[in-house]
Amino acid sequence: DNKKSKVTILQSADNPPSSNQFSKPAAGKKWWGLEVVIENVGTAEVSSLDWKLRDSKDIEHDRTFVTGAGQNLDVAFRLTPGGKSQGWVYFEIDSDASPKWIRADPNPFLKNDLYFDIR
């Protein structure tokens, strides 16, 4: 299998503001985001990653979509060899929580998950 994805974290944002007045986190929550570049460094086409965040309370969160705060990373991209995709991955977490780690899973059936320690 020559499917290989390289993930580069460009920056993170704790509670980024949104220019969309209708896009706000739920009461008692905040957004936390990472700007990433996904690059296909293999010789076969790769598809999008499944993202998860575990916070300081050990609660796990799936990705959420935020409008007006920064370009969301495409949810269903396919990259041919050498291709790149760039954007933000957001999570909605408790206001008093912080991220512990992020997981980027290229295939839910295989054990090739990428973990990023955020602390």
Side-chain angles (χ1 to χ4, degrees):
D1 188 1
N2 292 310
K3 293 184 178 189
K4 293 182 182 165
S5 296
K6 176 182 173 186
V7 177
T8 303
I9 296 173
L10 301 178
Q11 61 178 319
S12 66
D14 188 40
N15 211 17
S18 170
S19 61
N20 182 333
Q21 64 181 4
F22 302 108
S23 187
K24 292 186 174 24
K29 304 276 187 181
K30 67 179 177 181
W31 290 321
W32 191 88
L34 280 180
E35 187 179 19
V36 298
V37 174
I38 313 297
E39 185 176 358
N40 182 343
V41 294
T43 56
E45 185 176 79
V46 296
S47 55
S48 49
L49 304 171
D50 184 39
W51 297 87
K52 189 165 291 277
L53 175 148
R54 179 179 284 182
D55 69 21
S56 52
K57 300 177 177 183
D58 289 326
I59 299 170
E60 294 192 4
H61 304 271
D62 291 322
R63 179 181 178 183
T64 190
F65 292 88
V66 175
T67 56
Q71 180 66 42
N72 285 282
L73 182 70
D74 284 343
V75 67
F77 64 78
R78 298 187 81 71
L79 296 175
T80 54
K84 294 181 183 180
S85 185
Q86 180 175 337
W88 284 86
V89 179
Y90 295 104
F91 302 90
E92 188 174 76
I93 65 176
D94 289 347
S95 294
D96 61 348
S98 58
K100 264 191 180 176
W101 53 252
I102 302 287
R103 184 187 73 206
D105 185 356
N107 185 329
F109 304 108
L110 300 176
K111 296 183 191 280
N112 294 331
D113 300 3
L114 304 168
Y115 283 89
F116 302 95
D117 193 349
I118 303 299
R119 286 178 268 181

